[in-house]
Amino acid sequence: MSASVTVIIAAFNAQDTVSRAIRSALAQPETAEVIVVDDASRDATCGVVADEAKRDPRVHLIQQETNHGPAAARNRALDVATSDYVAVLDSDDVFLPRRLAHLSSVKNCEMVADNIAFVTPENLSEATEQDWSVIDPKFAPLVAAEFVRGNLRNHGMSRGELGFLKPVLSRDFLEQNKLRYDPSLRLGEDYDLYVRMLLAGARMQLTRRPGYAAVVRSNSLSARHGASELAQLHIALQAHLDSRPQSSDLTRAMQQHLRDIRRKRDHRISLDLRREQGVWAAVRYLISARDRAWPVALQILRDKLNLSKTAADAAPEKGSRLLLSVE
């Protein structure tokens, strides 16, 4: 891949962290520009970004008058990006030192990703100062079926997390295939774009060496996403299947993922009905479809046993928790 990278940051009420994110991107020699899209923040985010732009001309600020979510904000940035490659950085996360140099060493692919270190705010400095070079730097291809399977529950007890990856993407591939984030999604928007890129023929490479630090807070549980967000994701996953993937292995993985999201959606709807209309409204909903009650019962059991959490849901007690295990 090219050494010229546009870093995209969608920011909403991120006055306390966005400067740190920007500077971690600027510290990478491969960063040609940092485009920050302020998604109608109600705090001083715009002012903080404007100050960073005064210090470094590579920083550009786009302000949105109405909040449209991270997918739409990233699309605004993609429309004006000028580099060969783009990298998404969340406004409270950071790039680890020399991340883009490592990813830039990979040739002949349109998506290149590295491991993620999940940290608490208190452990972030430790993660950025840690010597991650001791972890094997080699890359391996990741095909569509493997990627989708990496988001499934293993043996019905825990969920994969490859959708959390933050690969560097070929802007030329996105333009040629007219691909953008789906602005209707506020959950799984990254996963959706990656799958559509893979279905369009993108080649993906992955290393288990960490290059991205994601800050985990107690109020960021993915399980708190609402029924409407899960319903929109369900529609996107159905669209993946409707594209008629060539591989039967990929089709089976997509079908399983669709069932997982349908179960989570139905569970959320039943909880909302119970809260708003009472227990019998929830029961009527669950028994109104033949294949609804039992899957939701399994979801409730997983939640009770605390088996639905991912590495991104729970902050590590100390040090870092890696998305991908290493030897």
Side-chain angles (χ1 to χ4, degrees):
M1 58 173 273
S2 167
S4 173
V5 180
T6 293
V7 178
I8 292 172
I9 301 175
F12 176 69
N13 291 347
Q15 64 179 18
D16 296 330
T17 61
V18 69
S19 178
R20 181 183 67 202
I22 292 171
R23 295 184 185 189
S24 79
L26 294 174
Q28 312 272 326
E30 297 74 20
T31 298
E33 59 185 354
V34 178
I35 302 175
V36 183
V37 181
D38 178 75
D39 201 17
S41 294
R42 296 186 294 269
D43 64 1
T45 297
C46 280
V48 172
V49 177
D51 287 342
E52 293 295 333
K54 293 177 183 176
R55 296 187 182 96
D56 194 311
R58 289 178 292 170
V59 180
H60 308 285
L61 171 64
I62 297 175
Q63 293 179 258
Q64 300 205 126
E65 295 182 359
T66 305
N67 181 277
H68 294 290
R74 291 170 186 165
N75 286 341
R76 284 287 303 276
L78 284 173
D79 289 341
V80 299
T82 61
S83 301
D84 296 330
Y85 283 80
V86 294
V88 168
L89 174 60
D90 289 346
S91 60
D92 50 358
D93 298 340
V94 300
F95 287 165
L96 296 175
R98 297 173 296 281
R99 181 202 189 206
L100 295 183
H102 186 212
L103 297 183
S104 295
S105 67
V106 182
K107 309 300 180 184
N108 301 319
C109 70
E110 291 73 38
M111 307 168 68
V112 55
D114 48 15
N115 209 342
I116 295 179
F118 293 102
V119 300
T120 62
E122 297 77 16
N123 293 332
L124 180 58
S125 295
E126 178 184 342
T128 58
E129 295 169 2
Q130 185 168 339
D131 181 13
W132 297 105
S133 65
V134 298
I135 296 176
D136 190 345
K138 73 173 181 291
F139 289 83
L142 184 66
V143 299
E146 292 174 335
F147 176 74
V148 175
R149 278 199 303 269
N151 292 272
L152 301 179
R153 298 179 184 277
N154 299 319
H155 309 295
M157 300 299 286
S158 62
R159 185 166 70 83
E161 309 173 293
L162 292 190
F164 289 116
L165 291 173
K166 288 288 191 290
V168 175
L169 310 175
S170 166
R171 190 172 68 87
D172 184 57
F173 186 87
L174 292 171
E175 297 299 327
Q176 287 184 3
N177 291 277
K178 297 180 173 57
L179 291 171
R180 286 293 188 268
Y181 288 92
D182 183 346
S184 71
L185 295 176
R186 291 190 180 230
L187 168 66
E189 68 277 1
D190 296 307
Y191 171 84
D192 168 65
L193 178 63
Y194 304 159
V195 170
R196 288 186 286 119
M197 289 185 69
L198 291 166
L199 290 174
R203 297 162 295 180
M204 187 174 186
Q205 293 278 334
L206 175 64
T207 176
R208 291 178 181 268
R209 176 180 288 182
Y212 188 104
V215 178
V216 181
R217 293 180 171 81
S218 59
N219 61 354
S220 63
L221 298 182
S222 62
R224 293 180 182 175
H225 286 293
S228 62
E229 295 163 318
L230 288 163
Q232 286 300 129
L233 179 56
H234 186 271
I235 291 171
L237 299 189
Q238 183 63 60
H240 297 167
L241 267 173
D242 292 343
S243 69
R244 298 184 181 277
Q246 297 298 314
S247 163
S248 59
D249 191 25
L250 175 57
T251 297
R252 286 192 296 270
M254 286 181 169
Q255 289 170 338
Q256 180 59 54
H257 196 198
L258 187 69
R259 287 192 292 269
D260 284 351
I261 296 303
R262 182 185 301 124
R263 177 173 57 241
K264 291 177 71 70
R265 178 202 64 187
D266 291 342
H267 182 209
R268 185 70 260 173
I269 290 174
S270 69
L271 291 175
D272 292 344
L273 285 170
R274 179 177 179 178
R275 184 183 66 254
E276 297 167 5
Q277 302 179 32
V279 64
W280 288 113
V283 170
R284 284 193 297 272
Y285 173 76
L286 291 177
I287 64 176
S288 63
R290 179 176 56 84
D291 59 347
R292 184 175 290 162
W294 178 242
V296 170
L298 289 178
Q299 179 65 46
I300 293 172
L301 177 61
R302 289 189 182 97
D303 289 347
K304 293 291 186 183
L305 296 176
N306 203 31
L307 296 174
S308 294
K309 281 190 175 184
T310 68
D313 291 332
E317 294 182 2
K318 68 184 232 181
S320 304
R321 178 182 287 109
L322 297 181
L323 175 69
L324 304 170
S325 62
V326 296
E327 294 181 357

